[in-house]
Amino acid sequence: MDSHTSPASQPPPSPPSPHTFQVDLRGLVDLLSHHLYSSPKVYLRELLQNAVDAITARRATEPDAPARVRLYPEGGALRVEDTGVGLTEADVHSLLATIGRSSKRAEGLQEARSDFLGQFGIGLLACFVVAERIRVVSRSARTPGAPPVEWTASDDGSYTVRTLPDAERPEPGTTVHLVARAGAAEWLTPARVEALARDFGSLLPYDVRVGDEAVTDLPAPWDRPYPGPAARRVALARHCHDLFGFTPLDTVDLSVPVAGVRGVAYVLPAAVSPAQRAGHRVHLKGMLLTERAEQLLPDWAFFVRCVLDTDSLRPTASREALYEDETLAAVREALGERIRAWLTGLAAGDPERLAAFLAVHHLGVKSLARHDREMLRTMLPWLPFETTDGRLSLEEFAQRHPVVHFTRTVEEYRQVAPIASAQGIGVINGGYTYDSELVEALPSVRPGTVVAELDAETVTAHLDAVAPAEELALSGFLAAARARLDPLGCDVVLRAFHPLSVPALHLDDRDARHEQARADAEERAGDLWAGILGSLRGSAPRARLVLNHLNPLVRRIGALPDPELVGTATESLYGQALLMAQRPLGPADSALLNRAFINLLKWATHSEDGRS
């Protein structure tokens, strides 16, 4: 017989031995304080949250049970008492000693979970951010005969559990004792505890006090009865000032009952950038969740700050922000509808308040109107635009002009506005944020309106041509002027236009500027890049300097016999036209202006010397 044992006769392998993960509590506290929570102050929110959830759990079976939370800060320590459901010794071992376990998962509580604030089972661990030792004394309301139990834990990860005599805790509920860790005593001072309790718990549904001072302030300001609308506006304005530090232009109710949302939006009294994300204050079932909720409203509603309470939105793991899901998207859309309805109501019934609002926040409404044709139609008589006729609404401007001309940039508008106005061409400055988009959308809400982008060709076509004989007589002058500006990629044309005080007009468009930028880059580039850029040369029209034949100075320059002096004068007119249009000057433009100025000085001083 083979001396080796056959595989069939070998004993089966023993099952693997179970092991328990060892948790470095100090490392976990560091993780909580530096990466999950924005500030140590959240420890008080966790304490309040546990107390409120415990009371909610008890009232699920005892509707008349007392609902009290008391906080007693003293000498670097804090005691928090509640009349909640309490814990047995088995609960303590099962829940408090198991990191990540939530009492809301306990048997009998799962079906009521939506009534609780806490959803992630972090619980008392947050208290280690400010405390070196936590002591919990609790007595269960679900098991009346069970004795009180004490759980004491240190930040080194150790804990003890023992039962206590009935006298230590005669009534159901829980008391939490905290002892401050080194450097964190300030978070347990009476003033700090009271301020944090008011901040987090002002809308909680139960009686919460720090010592004898009430923390809760119910009903919420937006739910209180007032003698009339004016008194309500005054009270809410005071609430806004206390909360956000400003007095609002107006208030907007944000009631969305189907989503369990109640609150108010405060309209900012000063303009803000659309890129600035608003920070809104959100309470979850009465407990303050965050003061910096950014995704609560549509992007276009950057002109309001909100405070509201909700029972439908989900918090993130840190419970300091909102979880982006379908519910939040639906609430965001509903709140946007409330603000849109408020704007429509102002347009229909309170034009003075609407005008005051638009004077500050027209940019936000324009942002909304470019995506919402109904809002654009509503706001047409009110939204202001810069035009050659002054600041007008699109409706007023379209009534005055059969063709609504606009420019896409402020620069183009400044080039053409004085001349276009004198020629009777109405132009809208579409260079500001959203304006050109709204002008182009005008025919969709005002059928029959003709909208056209104004370019250099259109402006030139509206200027009067000079008689052929007069232009022929000035051919030498024009040739010298064109030769001087040709290296700059600029043509020279002669026209007659008003106002007479404008000697020259510099006109170009985006295509011309693009071609000039390409030519400049080609000149500065090496052989390889110059060849590539040269192959991209387009047939775009060049910029043009339009000389005003009606201007006396242009007539005198045209009569100069010296071609060099004509060139210098032309460069001066070119530079002055750029400055009139408020164009940013490039290096070549600056060099030209300096050269023309020096040459004119030389000419003037030479003439003076000659006379002397």
Side-chain angles (χ1 to χ4, degrees), residues 32-259:
L32 292 175
S33 59
H34 291 97
H35 301 284
L36 183 61
Y37 294 132
S38 61
S39 165
K41 68 181 182 180
V42 297
Y43 87 92
L44 194 68
R45 183 195 63 197
E46 296 292 337
L47 288 173
L48 287 176
Q49 180 172 287
N50 286 343
V52 169
D53 284 348
I55 293 172
T56 302
R58 184 177 180 185
R59 286 201 154 187
T61 55
E62 299 180 54
D64 297 328
R68 297 188 304 271
V69 182
R70 298 290 183 265
L71 297 91
Y72 300 101
E74 184 177 326
L78 174 64
R79 184 173 88 255
V80 181
E81 299 179 352
D82 69 64
T83 58
V85 70
L87 301 170
T88 63
E89 183 178 0
D91 293 334
V92 168
H93 282 291
S94 174
L95 302 173
L96 296 186
T98 304
I99 292 175
R101 188 78 178 272
S102 172
S103 62
K104 271 68 77 178
R105 295 186 179 93
E107 184 179 354
L109 297 184
Q110 184 67 35
E111 66 277 6
R113 185 176 173 125
S114 63
D115 295 328
F116 297 107
L117 300 171
Q119 298 286 323
F120 295 93
I122 294 173
L124 287 174
L125 281 181
C127 295
F128 279 120
V129 173
V130 298
E132 66 178 8
R133 188 170 72 256
I134 302 173
R135 177 171 173 257
V136 177
V137 177
S138 187
R139 184 162 192 162
S140 175
R142 289 198 299 252
T143 312
V149 61
E150 176 192 70
W151 176 83
T152 304
S154 299
D155 61 3
D156 62 2
S158 64
Y159 71 93
T160 60
V161 178
R162 63 183 181 127
T163 58
L164 301 174
D166 288 350
E168 292 286 337
R169 180 83 202 193
E171 300 295 329
T174 300
T175 302
V176 179
H177 302 262
L178 302 185
V179 177
R181 64 190 305 121
E186 63 168 307
W187 294 103
L188 273 64
T189 60
R192 179 62 66 92
V193 169
E194 182 174 344
L196 292 178
R198 290 186 186 280
D199 200 35
F200 284 119
S202 62
L203 300 185
L204 289 174
Y206 303 135
D207 179 15
V208 182
R209 297 174 183 265
V210 177
D212 295 327
E213 294 295 323
V215 167
T216 50
D217 187 20
L218 295 176
W222 50 85
D223 286 330
R224 295 173 189 169
Y226 295 99
R232 187 175 190 273
R233 276 199 299 269
V234 170
L236 290 178
R238 188 182 305 114
H239 176 249
C240 176
H241 190 273
D242 293 342
L243 207 58
F244 295 119
F246 65 86
T247 301
L249 279 178
D250 207 346
T251 59
V252 185
D253 283 322
L254 297 180
S255 175
V256 187
V258 69

Side-chain angles (χ1 to χ4, degrees), residues 249-250 267-268 303-304 339 342-343 346 351-362 364-365 379:
L249 279 178
D250 207 346
V267 181
L268 292 167
F303 49 83
V304 299
I339 297 175
W342 167 76
L343 283 170
L346 286 185
E352 290 185 4
R353 284 170 66 198
L354 178 64
F357 166 75
L358 290 177
V360 179
H361 295 299
H362 57 273
V365 180
M379 290 292 122

Side-chain angles (χ1 to χ4, degrees), residues 170-472:
E171 300 295 329
T174 300
T175 302
V176 179
H177 302 262
L178 302 185
V179 177
R181 64 190 305 121
E186 63 168 307
W187 294 103
L188 273 64
T189 60
R192 179 62 66 92
V193 169
E194 182 174 344
L196 292 178
R198 290 186 186 280
D199 200 35
F200 284 119
S202 62
L203 300 185
L204 289 174
Y206 303 135
D207 179 15
V208 182
R209 297 174 183 265
V210 177
D212 295 327
E213 294 295 323
V215 167
T216 50
D217 187 20
L218 295 176
W222 50 85
D223 286 330
R224 295 173 189 169
Y226 295 99
R232 187 175 190 273
R233 276 199 299 269
V234 170
L236 290 178
R238 188 182 305 114
H239 176 249
C240 176
H241 190 273
D242 293 342
L243 207 58
F244 295 119
F246 65 86
T247 301
L249 279 178
D250 207 346
T251 59
V252 185
D253 283 322
L254 297 180
S255 175
V256 187
V258 69
V261 173
R262 287 283 298 164
V264 65
Y266 294 117
V267 181
L268 292 167
V272 294
S273 166
Q276 179 178 333
R277 298 304 297 263
H280 307 293
R281 190 178 174 93
V282 178
H283 296 255
L284 179 60
K285 302 182 180 71
M287 180 74 74
L288 177 65
L289 180 72
T290 179
E291 299 173 278
R292 300 185 301 275
E294 294 183 349
Q295 69 274 47
L296 187 65
L297 294 181
D299 289 342
W300 55 261
F302 55 84
F303 49 83
V304 299
R305 295 291 181 273
C306 298
V307 53
L308 55 83
D309 187 28
T310 175
D311 58 16
S312 63
L313 299 179
R314 289 176 58 194
T316 59
S318 66
R319 290 194 285 275
E320 295 187 282
L322 296 171
Y323 187 81
E324 184 67 48
D325 58 11
E326 292 181 358
T327 302
L328 178 57
V331 167
R332 180 164 49 235
E333 182 177 350
L335 295 180
E337 286 294 334
R338 296 296 182 275
I339 297 175
R340 185 184 286 106
W342 167 76
L343 283 170
T344 305
L346 286 185
D350 201 338
E352 290 185 4
R353 284 170 66 198
L354 178 64
F357 166 75
L358 290 177
V360 179
H361 295 299
H362 57 273
L363 203 56
V365 180
K366 286 180 178 180
S367 174
L368 169 61
R370 67 193 175 123
H371 297 301
D372 188 325
R373 291 293 177 263
E374 190 57 39
M375 180 55 62
L376 177 58
R377 183 179 290 106
T378 301
M379 290 292 122
L380 269 181
W382 309 103
L383 288 175
F385 289 77
E386 182 180 354
T387 79
T388 49
D389 293 351
R391 288 189 70 80
L392 296 175
S393 69
L394 290 180
E395 179 71 25
E396 291 176 285
F397 189 86
Q399 289 174 355
R400 297 184 183 188
H401 299 278
V403 178
V404 178
H405 287 102
F406 73 98
T407 63
R408 291 193 182 275
T409 68
V410 175
E411 185 178 273
E412 291 170 352
Y413 178 79
R414 287 169 177 166
Q415 287 178 339
V416 304
I419 308 305
S421 180
Q423 306 306 310
I425 307 173
V427 184
I428 296 174
N429 183 357
Y432 296 116
T433 307
Y434 311 132
D435 282 9
S436 61
E437 297 174 70
L438 292 176
V439 175
E440 289 181 296
L442 188 56
S444 67
V445 296
R446 197 177 189 273
T449 303
V450 179
V451 173
E453 183 176 353
L454 188 68
D455 55 20
E457 290 287 350
T458 304
V459 175
T460 306
H462 278 78
L463 304 180
D464 294 334
V466 178
E470 294 185 63
E471 187 162 1
L472 182 62

